[in-house]
Amino acid sequence: CGELGRACALRLAADTARLAQPEINLGIVPGYGGTRRLSRLVGRGGALDLLLAGRHVADVLGAAAWDKLRPFMDRALAGETVSWEEEIPYEHAGKRWVNASYIPHLDSHGVVQGFAVLVNDIDARRRNEEVQRFLVGLHDATRGLQSPADVMVETVTRVGRHFDAIRCAYGELDEAQHNLRIPRGYPRGVPTVAGLYPLKRFGDGLTEWLQSGRTAVIDDVERDPRTAQPEALATYASMEIRALLVTPIVKAGRLAWPASAPGHAGMCG
């Protein structure tokens, strides 16, 4: 019974077991709390996939997650108790840190029948630890610097590397709020984009968003309405930018300096 299994702290399964939620194929819906517990275990997207499509768990997790989990399962099925802590790239839930133990179950002859699973989602804790390590490292690296320009370069370099970005820069607006000056920043294998740019070249929608004091996260400049204007797209193409993370600094209701941190495929402008 799938519902009973999801209610348990420990679950035992053979290596040949295929887990699914097949009610949809029978024209019925799961009962006994199956839908709520399933979403807690595999995320809302994974639960919807299982419930509405009737697919197997291996298909729902995605190839990347399955490839990372399968070696641990193979070791458990070989009779080894396995404890691990890894970041798992789930297809629907994204990358999440998980702490887990696989405990083999042996029959009276010592033959592995399956294994019990203990899993804890520790993503929030690990993300917080990463942030704290980054902030401590940034503080240590900049506290002895005297020049504000040196502090800025060290900061954008560390932020860029932290986000695995190709660019990270700090932009400063002029008094009229019309032009953005980008000084020397952090480029990784790409040319610098230091220079003076009309603010409108980055998209009116993005400017309005930042002036409200909100951080902008743009996964694709070509699809996001804040950046999808022709002039803005030409600017981003010339800078090899496809994704942005931009954090504004607002003083007295004015956008003073947008501190820019790039996304994985581009720079935040």
Side-chain angles (χ1 to χ4, degrees):
C1 177
E3 288 81 0
L4 180 59
R6 283 190 292 278
C8 296
L10 295 176
R11 302 172 188 88
L12 192 66
D15 61 338
T16 55
R18 296 280 284 173
L19 306 179
Q21 196 69 58
E23 283 86 350
I24 188 68
N25 299 318
L26 303 175
I28 59 177
V29 296
Y32 300 99
T35 53
R36 289 191 302 167
R37 293 193 178 99
L38 184 61
S39 64
R40 295 171 188 168
L41 292 172
V42 300
R44 184 177 180 182
L48 288 172
D49 202 336
L50 283 167
L51 293 168
L52 300 180
R55 296 202 298 160
H56 293 290
V57 171
D59 301 322
V60 174
L61 290 176
W66 186 248
D67 287 345
K68 204 155 190 178
L69 292 171
R70 190 57 188 261
F72 299 121
M73 297 182 182
D74 289 341
R75 289 167 59 188
L77 291 170
E80 178 185 352
T81 296
V82 184
S83 295
W84 52 270
E85 192 169 293
E86 291 281 349
E87 186 181 43
I88 305 299
Y90 294 106
E91 184 173 0
H92 293 282
K95 294 182 178 180
R96 298 197 67 82
W97 279 95
V98 173
N99 177 284
S101 294
Y102 294 168
I103 307 169
H105 172 68
L106 310 178
D107 64 15
S108 58
H109 302 289
V111 177
V112 177
Q113 299 298 306
F115 58 89
V117 179
L118 294 171
V119 179
N120 288 309
D121 187 314
I122 58 171
D123 194 72
R125 174 174 67 80
R126 286 298 299 259
R127 302 294 179 197
N128 184 62
E129 291 173 352
E130 290 176 1
V131 170
Q132 294 305 314
R133 283 194 297 268
F134 170 75
L135 293 176
V136 170
L138 180 61
H139 175 266
D140 291 343
T142 57
R143 62 181 177 180
L145 301 178
Q146 301 300 316
S147 167
D150 291 341
V151 172
M152 182 273 292
V153 171
E154 183 66 27
T155 299
V156 297
T157 298
R158 286 179 171 266
V159 171
R161 290 172 177 170
H162 179 76
F163 284 103
D164 192 25
I166 65 167
R167 300 185 190 279
C168 187
Y170 179 89
E172 182 174 346
L173 285 174
D174 62 10
E175 185 64 26
Q177 304 274 289
H178 292 156
N179 298 301
L180 177 69
R181 184 179 68 86
I182 302 178
R184 181 168 60 97
Y186 165 75
R188 190 193 69 196
V190 291
T192 179
V193 293
L196 185 67
Y197 300 87
L199 189 59
K200 64 179 182 179
R201 285 186 56 183
F202 296 94
D204 292 336
L206 178 61
T207 301
E208 293 175 3
W209 185 276
L210 295 174
Q211 285 174 333
S212 69
R214 293 176 290 178
T215 295
V217 179
I218 299 177
D219 294 323
D220 189 334
V221 295
E222 295 181 355
R223 296 178 178 273
D224 196 293
R226 293 168 293 183
T227 55
Q229 299 81 39
E231 185 177 19
L233 290 177
T235 299
Y236 295 128
S238 68
M239 295 181 174
E240 303 179 61
I241 295 173
R242 288 296 303 274
L244 303 175
L245 169 61
V246 191
T247 303
I249 299 175
V250 179
K251 294 183 178 180
R254 292 166 60 86
L255 184 61
W257 303 279
S260 311
H264 67 279
M267 106 171 179
C268 295

